[in-house]
Amino acid sequence: MSQQQLPKKVNDINWLTIKEYILQQISGLTDESLQVKQFSAGYSNLTYFISIGDWQAVLRRPPFGPIPPKAHDMKRECEILEKINRVFPLAPKPFFYCEDPSVMDRHFYVMEKKEGVVLDDSLPKEFENRADTGVLVSNAVIDTLVKLHSIDYEAAGLNDFGYPDGYLSRQVHGWIKRFHIAKTNDILWVESLEKWLIDNIPPSPAPTIVHNDFKLNNMMFSATNPSEVIGVFDWELSTIGDPLTDLGATLAYWTEPGEEETGFTSVTTKPGFVSRKELLEMYAKKSGQDVSHIDYYLTFAFYKIAVILQQIYYRWKIGETTDIRFSKLDVGIKNLLEQAAKAQRKEILK
């Protein structure tokens, strides 16, 4: 194992112990060295590419340091993948789950590795040389979301996967509560935005599987074909609920050129990608869903993303984490809340 490949904090993990545990769980592996490389670290769970000889996999674990209760539930994510992979193979197949503290300080699971590219803030050269890349990727994102929402979750044995009745209301009240628990700065007009969210909850369509963090960089594409999706990741928050919350999140993360800093990067600002409005129209046409209340869902999506960053910023503010990246999240939080206010005024999808 090459230690220079690993960030300093990864040395908190005893990879020799991890290797021995893998050999106990996966039959037929050779006793070669364990190779480890961390994927680009976001603000949430940690993901590592691991290999032993020709065998390759991905390990997922919670971040280092204190974490909120019930957050970063790797067991639930692994169980979700076991069920969803059967009906939606873009979700990676899990190999095993472990919560033994003698193996790792945090619970983790290991799943199959998908082969392809993730589109974060740049395009691979093969994609850059194609004039139709943006349109192909945009359509593939919506096709995948529509396919997920069209799955018969009851036939898939996912009846106990969530509680769809009252889902949107619980989401709205829950995220407002989280924001106030983690609040560090007063933004006076936010309370009126929250009141509007509570007072204007629309009726939900028929429930579906909801990914709950469906965005472009949680997807993997073929390295040679921008219209082919290879995988969809980060199922930790998935449940049964209102599909338009997924659509709202996808639109919120779909950054357009000229927008203010939000703490997130997106390749969708590059030429060739469709606008949020065009993305919405694609979904409406392909899914047949009534999207007349989408401004509400987009408002809530911007607000929810702001709360997610606020929780991280709060941890940095009180010294629970020292990651320097988190010190400037207050700028992104303010801009996301302003985006929410614009969506409330129906100024985003004009």
Side-chain angles (χ1 to χ4, degrees):
M1 177 173 51
S2 175
Q3 288 294 327
Q4 59 265 30
Q5 287 183 304
L6 306 179
K8 186 176 180 181
K9 281 190 175 180
V10 176
N11 292 329
D12 292 347
I13 298 174
N14 187 333
W15 290 104
L16 292 177
T17 302
I18 298 297
K19 176 193 169 184
E20 293 305 315
Y21 190 81
I22 291 172
L23 292 177
Q24 294 171 18
Q25 300 299 315
I26 307 291
S27 61
L29 297 186
T30 58
D31 191 15
E32 299 180 52
S33 62
L34 172 66
Q35 302 295 320
V36 181
K37 185 176 182 181
Q38 185 173 351
F39 292 155
S40 297
Y43 296 142
S44 187
N45 296 316
L46 304 180
T47 306
Y48 304 90
F49 167 48
I50 59 177
S51 63
I52 300 175
D54 294 333
W55 179 80
Q56 299 179 340
V58 171
L59 184 149
R60 293 260 294 168
R61 62 153 283 161
F64 293 96
I67 58 175
K70 298 184 180 180
H72 310 285
D73 190 344
M74 297 292 95
K75 182 178 183 180
R76 182 175 187 274
E77 183 171 337
C78 185
E79 291 174 345
I80 288 168
L81 288 177
E82 286 179 342
K83 292 184 177 181
I84 288 188
N85 172 262
R86 300 169 194 162
V87 292
F88 190 71
L90 294 178
K93 180 180 180 180
F95 294 143
F96 64 83
Y97 166 79
C98 177
E99 57 186 17
D100 184 345
S102 69
V103 178
M104 190 186 292
D105 65 315
R106 293 278 166 80
H107 62 311
F108 69 95
Y109 73 92
V110 172
M111 64 183 175
E112 70 170 312
K113 181 180 183 293
K114 300 280 191 179
E115 294 291 344
V117 294
V118 174
L119 307 181
D120 199 347
D121 58 355
S122 62
L123 291 171
K125 290 182 180 179
E126 293 82 359
F127 287 15
E128 283 185 335
N129 296 331
R130 297 185 54 154
D132 60 352
T133 286
V135 171
L136 292 176
V137 169
S138 304
N139 274 281
V141 169
I142 293 303
D143 287 343
T144 305
L145 185 58
V146 170
K147 182 178 180 181
L148 175 65
H149 289 168
S150 68
I151 293 171
D152 185 336
Y153 70 87
E154 292 180 326
L158 295 170
N159 304 61
D160 60 350
F161 189 39
Y163 305 94
D165 291 345
Y167 170 79
L168 182 56
S169 177
R170 290 196 307 275
Q171 283 283 299
V172 170
H173 285 87
W175 284 101
I176 290 174
K177 181 178 179 180
R178 291 182 185 95
F179 182 68
H180 285 270
I181 290 173
K183 187 185 290 187
T184 52
N185 302 312
D186 283 326
I187 303 175
L188 297 179
W189 51 266
V190 171
E191 288 192 10
S192 64
L193 175 68
E194 293 169 340
K195 185 177 186 304
W196 181 87
L197 285 170
I198 291 171
D199 292 344
N200 291 275
I201 297 173
S204 290
T208 69
I209 297 174
V210 174
H211 181 278
N212 239 334
D213 198 20
F214 196 92
K215 56 182 178 176
L216 181 56
N217 64 358
N218 271 343
M219 303 173 69
M220 178 173 280
F221 289 76
S222 161
T224 58
N225 183 0
S227 66
E228 182 183 357
V229 176
I230 301 296
V232 177
F233 308 120
D234 288 5
W235 292 85
E236 176 192 359
L237 301 175
S238 183
T239 188
I240 304 298
D242 187 330
L244 296 182
T245 58
D246 263 353
L247 178 61
T250 303
L251 294 172
Y253 282 113
W254 197 266
T255 310
E256 294 187 333
E259 293 185 346
E260 298 293 332
E261 166 67 30
T262 59
F264 295 95
T265 56
S266 176
V267 72
T268 59
T269 58
K270 293 185 177 294
F273 284 88
V274 306
S275 66
R276 283 195 186 98
K277 185 176 181 180
E278 290 170 315
L279 204 69
L280 169 64
E281 290 168 350
M282 286 180 186
Y283 181 87
K285 181 178 180 180
K286 294 180 178 184
S287 70
Q289 284 278 17
D290 176 4
V291 295
S292 56
H293 294 291
I294 194 59
D295 291 296
Y296 180 93
Y297 289 93
L298 184 57
T299 302
F300 176 56
F302 280 125
Y303 178 86
K304 177 180 173 180
I305 298 168
V307 177
I308 292 170
L309 293 191
Q310 181 64 45
Q311 290 177 313
I312 299 168
Y313 182 68
Y314 176 78
R315 289 177 56 213
W316 176 83
K317 194 83 171 176
I318 65 174
E320 282 189 356
T321 178
T322 58
D323 193 322
I324 193 64
R325 295 176 303 161
F326 303 157
S327 64
K328 298 180 180 179
L329 287 181
D330 56 330
V331 176
I333 293 163
K334 182 175 182 295
N335 289 335
L336 282 163
L337 291 172
E338 289 177 352
Q339 285 283 78
K342 289 179 182 178
Q344 178 194 2
R345 298 192 299 267
K346 301 185 177 183
E347 297 176 1
I348 300 288
L349 296 171
K350 291 189 297 184

